[in-house]
């Protein structure tokens, strides 16, 4: 049976993962300061993105995400292992993104990946110290103009 502390840790980590998705989906890059440690390493290279520190990651997201008219990050099925003030998590992310097309045509890019996270408790709050994306799939669904 899980202890109250283990239950609390797992729920706090799940909430942290949802806060990440919310920050990205609402393009509120400074909210990522509450998700990651200041010295975090974030590696999006498996899906064609950047790899670097938090400042570089925020800059990358701010440049790239506005190019997509619509997108969502659904995070689920987290496998979390807590060991005191450190933890690891492997979380599925389903990320549909609308890609602008020519002459009003729309293309949907479907991205499936896992976030491989190393987390630490900092001043009583969980933060991601390292995130690496692991690719599952990426494909385009061509649409027609509306």
């Amino acid at each position: 049976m899980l202890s109250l502390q283990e239950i609390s840790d797992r729920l706090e980590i799940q909430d942290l993962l949802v806060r990440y998705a919310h920050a990205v989906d609402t393009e509120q890059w400074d909210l990522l300061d509450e998700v990651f440690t200041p010295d975090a390493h974030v590696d999006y290279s498996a899906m064609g993105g950047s790899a670097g520190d938090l400042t570089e990651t925020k800059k990358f997201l701010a440049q790239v995400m506005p190019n997509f008219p619509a997108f969502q990050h659904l995070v689920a099925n987290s496998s979390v292992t807590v060991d005191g003030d450190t933890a690891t998590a492997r979380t599925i992310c389903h990320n549909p993104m609308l890609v602008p097309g020519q002459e009003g045509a729309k293309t949907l890019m479907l991205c499936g990946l896992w976030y491989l996270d190393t987390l630490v408790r900092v001043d009583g709050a969980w933060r991601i110290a390292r995130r690496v994306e692991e690719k599952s799939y990426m494909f385009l669904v061509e649409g027609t103009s509306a």
Side-chain angles (χ1 to χ4, degrees):
M1 182 181 310
L2 295 174
S3 71
L4 287 178
Q5 184 63 56
E6 290 169 322
I7 293 168
S8 177
D9 288 338
R10 288 170 180 266
L11 288 174
E12 289 173 31
I13 289 168
Q14 286 178 340
D15 185 55
L16 180 70
L17 301 173
V18 170
R19 285 199 318 267
Y20 166 82
H22 171 76
V24 174
D25 287 344
T26 60
E27 299 182 47
Q28 296 183 64
W29 315 124
D30 288 339
L31 290 180
L32 296 175
D33 296 338
E34 300 171 17
V35 173
F36 292 96
T37 61
D39 63 345
H41 178 76
V42 183
D43 184 348
Y44 296 144
S45 62
M47 301 297 285
S50 69
D53 64 20
L54 182 55
T55 300
E56 292 168 309
T57 299
K58 289 166 57 175
K59 182 178 177 182
F60 167 77
L61 291 170
Q63 289 174 340
V64 172
M65 296 309 288
N67 295 315
F68 298 96
F71 47 85
Q72 290 181 318
H73 289 74
L74 171 64
V75 290
N77 295 1
S78 294
S79 175
V80 178
T81 302
V82 177
D83 184 12
D85 289 335
T86 63
T88 57
R90 184 173 194 265
T91 304
I92 287 176
C93 177
H94 174 69
N95 177 208
M97 304 175 81
L98 190 59
V99 179
Q102 296 180 13
E103 300 177 18
K106 303 232 186 316
T107 300
L108 182 63
M109 180 168 61
L110 297 175
C111 303
L113 58 121
W114 288 272
Y115 291 126
L116 308 178
D117 295 326
T118 302
L119 304 104
V120 295
R121 192 186 329 256
V122 178
D123 297 327
W126 286 102
R127 298 287 183 262
I128 300 170
R130 179 175 175 81
R131 166 164 280 184
V132 176
E133 287 183 340
E134 181 180 295
K135 183 177 180 178
S136 177
Y137 60 85
M138 182 187 297
F139 63 93
L140 300 175
V141 179
E142 299 293 331
T144 60
S145 59

